[in-house]
Amino acid sequence: MPSNMNKATFAGGCFWCMEESFERVEGVIEVISGYSGGATENPTYKDVTYGNTGHFEVIEIIYDSEKVNYEKLLNIFWTNIDPFDEIGQFCDKGYSYRSVAFYSIDIEKKLIQKSIKKLEKKFNKKIVTYIRKFDKFYKAEDYHQNYYKENFINYLMYKNGCGRVKTLKKIWD
């Protein structure tokens, strides 16, 4: 990758919704749905959702650091999750749907920690989002990639039915 290209990895429940949120950001080149955080090699959706792989549904963001930085991506991440839900995100519950901010270098870890302190002070509540060192990313099955574009009506029904938009407005507005 060119030196101005970087990657960021976040888990915020349904990767379809997270993918949509980040693809609109100037400087984001690509957003890929996948799995990370666990020990199982090459997990499938079924393995991650119904098994005990230790993985989360994540997105890998490839971005141009000359146009957008990790801190801005981190801020977008926060406003697209419920950082107070310790059992999942919105209607998706279970370990694989927990929120996670992954870091690859120490400065990213410090930015995550700093933002958590700031949010805890703002809301006077404990943030339960995990902070994890990034290890490996496994791309999700093709039918998950760009799901919100390829299956727009089904996606909107899911997103609205899950209460994602309503919950995010309640937290962040």
Side-chain angles (χ1 to χ4, degrees), residues 36-62:
S36 192
T40 303
E41 295 281 325
N42 300 310
T44 65
Y45 176 76
K46 187 176 178 181
D47 295 336
V48 172
T49 305
Y50 302 109
N52 190 20
T53 66
H55 287 292
F56 303 93
E57 277 195 22
V58 303
I59 54 166
E60 178 179 75
I61 303 162
I62 300 168

Side-chain angles (χ1 to χ4, degrees), residues 150-161:
E150 305 292 328
N151 300 283
F152 188 68
I153 299 299
N154 288 342
Y155 169 71
L156 283 181
M157 290 188 331
Y158 161 79
K159 184 178 173 182
N160 291 325

Side-chain angles (χ1 to χ4, degrees), residues 101-169:
F102 288 91
Y103 66 92
S104 294
I105 57 176
D106 285 341
I107 189 69
E108 291 173 349
K109 183 178 182 181
K110 288 176 183 165
L111 288 168
I112 296 165
Q113 292 169 328
K114 180 181 172 186
S115 65
I116 286 175
K117 285 179 184 173
K118 182 178 173 184
L119 290 171
E120 286 180 339
K121 185 175 180 180
K122 174 181 177 177
F123 289 101
N124 196 28
K125 265 176 126 169
K126 178 154 179 52
I127 301 292
V128 297
T129 298
Y130 292 134
I131 302 171
R132 294 280 170 89
K133 176 128 178 81
F134 176 77
D135 184 25
K136 290 183 181 175
F137 173 81
Y138 299 97
K139 185 177 177 183
E141 297 81 354
D142 287 343
Y143 69 90
H144 287 298
Q145 307 304 323
N146 297 306
Y147 186 88
Y148 78 97
K149 290 178 187 173
E150 305 292 328
N151 300 283
F152 188 68
I153 299 299
N154 288 342
Y155 169 71
L156 283 181
M157 290 188 331
Y158 161 79
K159 184 178 173 182
N160 291 325
C162 235
R164 190 176 192 105
V165 174
K166 185 178 176 182
T167 302
L168 291 175
K169 279 185 179 281

Side-chain angles (χ1 to χ4, degrees), residues 70-110:
Y70 183 84
E71 189 171 16
K72 173 156 178 148
L73 296 175
L74 181 60
N75 289 334
I76 293 166
F77 165 70
W78 290 123
T79 60
N80 280 282
I81 66 163
D82 176 351
F84 310 110
D85 190 337
E86 61 189 351
I87 59 171
Q89 289 290 295
F90 313 101
C91 68
D92 294 316
K93 302 301 180 190
Y95 184 82
S96 64
Y97 292 109
R98 292 282 312 265
S99 59
V100 185
F102 288 91
Y103 66 92
S104 294
I105 57 176
D106 285 341
I107 189 69
E108 291 173 349
K109 183 178 182 181
K110 288 176 183 165

